Amino acid sequence: MDAQSRGRADDIDPADQWVLNPNTGEYEMRLPPSAPQSGVPGPRKPPASDTDPSVLGATQPLGRSAAPGRPRPETPGAVLGATQPLGRSAAPGRPRPETPGAVLGATQPLGRSAAPGRPRPETPGAVPPPRRRRGAPAPEEPLPGRRGRRPAKKAAKGKKVLLWTGGAMAFVLVAGAGAAYFYIEHLNNNIASVSDDGASTGGFEKDKAINILLIGTDKRTGAGNEKYGDAGSVGHADTTILLHVSKDRSNATALSIPRDLIVDIPDCPTTQEDGSQKVIPGTPQTRFNTSLGQDDRTPSCTMRTVTELTGVKPDNFMVADFNAVKTLTSAVGGVEVCLGKDIDDPDSHLKLSKGNHTIEGEQALAFVRTRHSVGFGGDLSRIGLQQQFLSALMRKLKDNDTLTSPSKMLDLAEAGTKALTVDSQLSSIGKLKDLGLELGKLNTKNLTFATTPVIDNPAEKVPTTVVLNESSAPQVFDMIKNDVSFTAVKEKKKKEAAAVAARLKGTKAAASEVRVRIMNGGAVAGSAQETLSWLQVEEGVTKSENAGNAPAELAKTTLEYAPDQADQARRLADIMGLPGSAMKAGESVENAQGVPAMTLTLGKDFKGAGASQTTPAKAPADVDKSTADKVECAE
């Protein structure tokens, strides 16, 4: 008896009675059990909904078939390479709804065939049903209402292996992606950050020079660190390095700032723990290390102090405490240092013999803290030791044994994110990764470690502090501000520098013949008038005038002139101390008298009337410096 004679033909498609026999792999007619008959059909029982296990990467149980005649709901889990349940067959005679899994390389279930007699809609990745061999008899159609009988077939062993392998691979891919996501979130949660309170540029940029302020504090928090004296330290700026990376990433300078340098600490707007703002008053003529910790000052205050001192505004900052030295050195498997003599320092707990040593953990911390046993026993001697240590750490980070070791890289990521406190612009693992990629472009032979030029404080009978060496420190700061390398310049750059310098060579007009308009393009207010007075009274440039503010601010001072004014331009550049890069060939502009004149625009770099604007091409001879590619032994 078929469905028509059972009285249920009103809503059942005969094709829906075909189901797949898992033993034979063929479709057979199978009718549902008879229900009690009545004259009036009763209401149909609503179909039970499928249980939805479709969370990320979840699949239906293997080998389970869908309910005949009922479309399966879309499964959100079937994305990013996940597959539909392996071995499940579609309902005969019903088109299968579009499955979101069939994107990005996902496939339809292997071995699934279409319902007999119904064309299946185009499905991405669908496998066509097997074709009958030419000449082979067509399969016998079973009579309606009777179950067909077919000899049982065993599923191919290769197909089973393929099904299980595909399912396992999908699980591994989804599980791996999930693990990576949770690990990145874990690293993000490791990172501690504080506000830069507007003291930075807003963060480094990939197409510009980079300035990162590295601050090492003497805070004794952490296991075992209380034994290093001054256990109650609020965490001063014990070690401070301004790391400048050139715009083209060909070179970098790490400039150490002595903690005992006398500086002016400016007023510091500071974000409090409750989110409120507080301005911490500045302190004139005090030790640099009190720019952090003292009076609740934060790293943003150290940033402002560095900007006040050097004229360089940092992009970001990183703060490391004692634990950072210990964990980072252990993460890379230790760093190699050299001693020119035996050292036994009870204060830092460093005890090492003369020669090369690989140090990590507590021993590495003792190495960077010792000062009484090296050089003159002061902070400047310790700076040299710390620079040697950082050089060794840079070499180890660039070493193939570190870069190709997954375990070391994971340990380094774990230690780095836990050990450092960064500004809010660097508070994600993605930003730290981007910065690491930029720093990774450096060659250690072009990374110069230098110390800010200082002299003993003449105001002290027994000097315990230092002050800037005014004859050489400004040159060092200018080199960093103007992106000048402390290492040997490449040949291409030498040629470019020579071409710029050539603009200054040639005949020079008399000062009385120089006609120039002076504009303020970002210099201190009043600079244009001050320069005008100086040129007219001191230098004899009487044909000059104050043309007011420039249309836009400029980072650097420029002198624009017409070709027939080149001799005037060379004379004014000589008087002003302008570099060849400041000279711009262009067109002259009429002055107030209607006579063609050059235009001098004072940029943000302008130092004042009479001060040379020329940036030194190399560091002063008295600057202590070394490159990161060389191993030097501490004495």
Side-chain angles (χ1 to χ4, degrees):
M1 181 181 298
D2 59 16
Q4 299 285 342
S5 63
R6 289 172 181 252
R8 298 193 300 162
D10 56 336
D11 57 357
I12 296 181
D13 191 331
D16 286 349
Q17 301 171 46
W18 291 87
V19 295
L20 180 69
N21 186 332
N23 294 323
T24 65
E26 301 293 341
Y27 283 93
E28 299 176 351
M29 177 71 77
R30 180 171 299 168
L31 294 176
S34 298
Q37 303 297 310
S38 67
V40 181
R44 296 180 61 195
K45 184 179 179 181
S49 61
D50 290 344
T51 302
D52 184 11
S54 52
V55 294
L56 184 60
T59 61
Q60 295 289 339
L62 297 176
R64 187 170 166 191
S65 61
R70 185 179 301 158
R72 192 165 57 243
E74 293 190 7
T75 307
V79 293
L80 295 176
T83 61
Q84 292 294 324
L86 300 174
R88 179 189 281 178
S89 61
R94 288 285 179 92
R96 192 164 56 241
E98 292 294 330
T99 306
V103 293
L104 296 176
T107 61
Q108 294 296 326
L110 299 175
R112 180 189 283 177
S113 60
R118 289 286 181 93
R120 189 169 58 210
E122 291 295 327
T123 306
V127 180
R131 296 194 303 174
R132 182 166 53 88
R133 288 180 300 171
R134 182 176 299 178
E140 181 181 351
E141 293 290 343
L143 294 174
R146 297 184 60 185
R147 299 178 181 177
R149 293 290 183 265
R150 301 284 184 186
K153 294 181 180 179
K154 292 185 178 180
K157 182 178 181 181
K159 182 180 290 185
K160 288 183 178 179
V161 172
L162 181 60
L163 294 180
W164 281 107
T165 303
M169 181 60 71
F171 175 79
V172 168
L173 289 175
V174 173
Y181 168 79
F182 284 115
Y183 184 66
I184 289 174
E185 284 299 293
H186 164 71
L187 293 178
N188 280 330
N189 291 333
N190 282 349
I191 300 171
S193 66
V194 294
S195 174
D196 65 3
D197 294 311
S200 75
T201 62
F204 77 93
E205 297 182 42
K206 293 183 179 180
D207 58 347
K208 294 183 179 180
I210 297 174
N211 293 296
I212 306 293
L213 191 63
L214 308 174
I215 307 170
T217 76
D218 58 356
K219 202 166 186 177
R220 267 70 172 175
T221 55
N225 295 328
E226 67 281 351
K227 64 186 178 183
Y228 292 115
D230 194 13
S233 173
V234 293
H236 295 107
D238 204 44
T239 300
T240 304
I241 295 175
L242 177 61
L243 175 64
H244 170 81
V245 185
S246 67
K247 180 179 179 180
D248 63 3
R249 309 296 185 255
S250 66
N251 63 86
T253 303
L255 181 68
S256 293
I257 301 175
R259 69 171 191 171
D260 296 325
L261 174 64
I262 297 298
V263 298
D264 291 331
I265 298 177
D267 293 347
C268 300
T270 307
T271 302
Q272 304 300 296
E273 290 185 2
D274 62 0
S276 63
Q277 283 281 324
K278 174 184 177 183
V279 177
I280 300 175
T283 307
Q285 294 298 288
T286 187
R287 291 176 189 259
F288 175 85
N289 70 333
T290 60
S291 65
L292 177 67
Q294 197 79 11
D295 300 324
D296 296 326
R297 291 184 176 120
T298 64
S300 66
C301 194
T302 307
M303 260 190 170
R304 295 183 192 278
T305 306
V306 168
T307 302
E308 186 89 3
L309 174 70
T310 66
V312 178
K313 193 171 188 177
D315 300 307
N316 301 95
F317 66 72
M318 293 183 177
V319 183
D321 58 14
F322 283 1
N323 277 340
V325 177
K326 296 193 290 188
T327 56
L328 287 173
T329 52
S330 296
V332 297
V335 297
E336 185 178 348
V337 296
C338 178
L339 295 177
K341 63 180 181 181
D342 296 343
I343 289 184
D344 188 357
D345 184 357
D347 293 325
S348 68
H349 307 288
L350 179 66
K351 186 174 183 179
L352 288 175
S353 60
K354 177 181 178 180
N356 294 327
H357 298 272
T358 298
I359 59 174
E360 64 176 280
E362 293 286 350
Q363 201 171 44
L365 178 59
F367 184 86
V368 298
R369 290 191 64 252
T370 190
R371 57 173 171 162
H372 300 302
S373 300
V374 293
F376 296 105
D379 184 52
L380 294 178
S381 298
R382 181 170 63 174
I383 284 176
L385 202 68
Q386 292 171 346
Q387 290 175 348
Q388 182 199 144
F389 170 81
L390 290 173
S391 294
L393 181 58
M394 284 294 295
R395 290 194 298 271
K396 191 61 178 283
L397 290 173
K398 298 277 287 185
D399 186 78
N400 283 336
D401 287 344
T402 301
L403 295 175
T404 58
S405 170
S407 61
K408 284 185 179 179
M409 294 302 289
L410 290 176
D411 288 346
L412 189 59
E414 190 75 27
T417 52
K418 283 182 177 179
L420 301 174
T421 297
V422 299
D423 66 89
S424 50
Q425 308 293 336
L426 281 179
S427 59
S428 72
I429 193 66
K431 273 292 185 181
L432 288 172
K433 178 208 69 175
D434 290 343
L435 177 59
L437 291 175
E438 295 302 309
L439 299 180
K441 298 174 183 178
L442 288 171
N443 189 322
T444 52
K445 72 178 182 180
N446 291 326
L447 170 57
T448 303
F449 284 93
T451 303
T452 301
V454 294
I455 57 174
D456 288 339
N457 190 348
E460 298 175 337
K461 290 183 179 180
V462 179
T464 58
T465 62
V466 293
V467 296
L468 281 183
N469 183 339
E470 295 294 346
S471 67
S472 52
Q475 297 181 47
V476 171
F477 300 153
D478 277 352
M479 290 180 69
I480 293 177
K481 280 191 293 185
N482 292 283
D483 203 19
V484 177
S485 174
F486 279 60
T487 57
V489 183
K490 295 181 179 180
E491 288 300 318
K492 181 180 178 181
K493 288 192 172 183
K494 286 182 179 179
K495 292 179 181 179
E496 292 174 353
V500 169
R503 299 172 191 170
L504 300 172
K505 296 179 180 179
T507 59
K508 299 179 178 69
S512 59
E513 297 177 4
V514 174
R515 289 186 176 87
V516 60
R517 303 164 64 248
I518 305 169
M519 305 185 77
N520 192 329
V524 175
S527 294
Q529 185 59 42
E530 179 190 6
T531 303
L532 175 66
S533 299
W534 175 75
L535 286 175
Q536 291 182 340
V537 176
E538 302 291 335
E539 300 298 331
V541 184
T542 56
K543 298 177 182 178
S544 52
E545 66 181 45
N546 183 349
N549 291 329
E553 290 190 350
L554 299 178
K556 296 183 180 298
T557 300
T558 62
L559 174 60
E560 188 170 358
Y561 59 96
D564 61 351
Q565 297 171 322
D567 56 344
Q568 295 183 46
R570 285 190 285 267
R571 171 58 66 191
L572 187 60
D574 182 57
I575 294 172
M576 296 283 298
L578 296 175
S581 58
M583 300 173 68
K584 308 293 182 184
E587 297 181 358
S588 61
V589 178
E590 290 185 356
N591 62 13
Q593 290 75 38
V595 180
M598 302 181 296
T599 301
L600 173 67
T601 305
L602 308 179
K604 294 179 180 179
D605 66 334
F606 184 67
K607 302 172 184 175
S612 174
Q613 298 295 123
T614 304
T615 301
K618 60 181 180 180
D622 60 345
V623 174
D624 292 331
K625 60 183 182 359
S626 62
T627 52
D629 62 319
K630 296 178 181 178
V631 179
E632 298 185 4
C633 296
E635 295 287 348

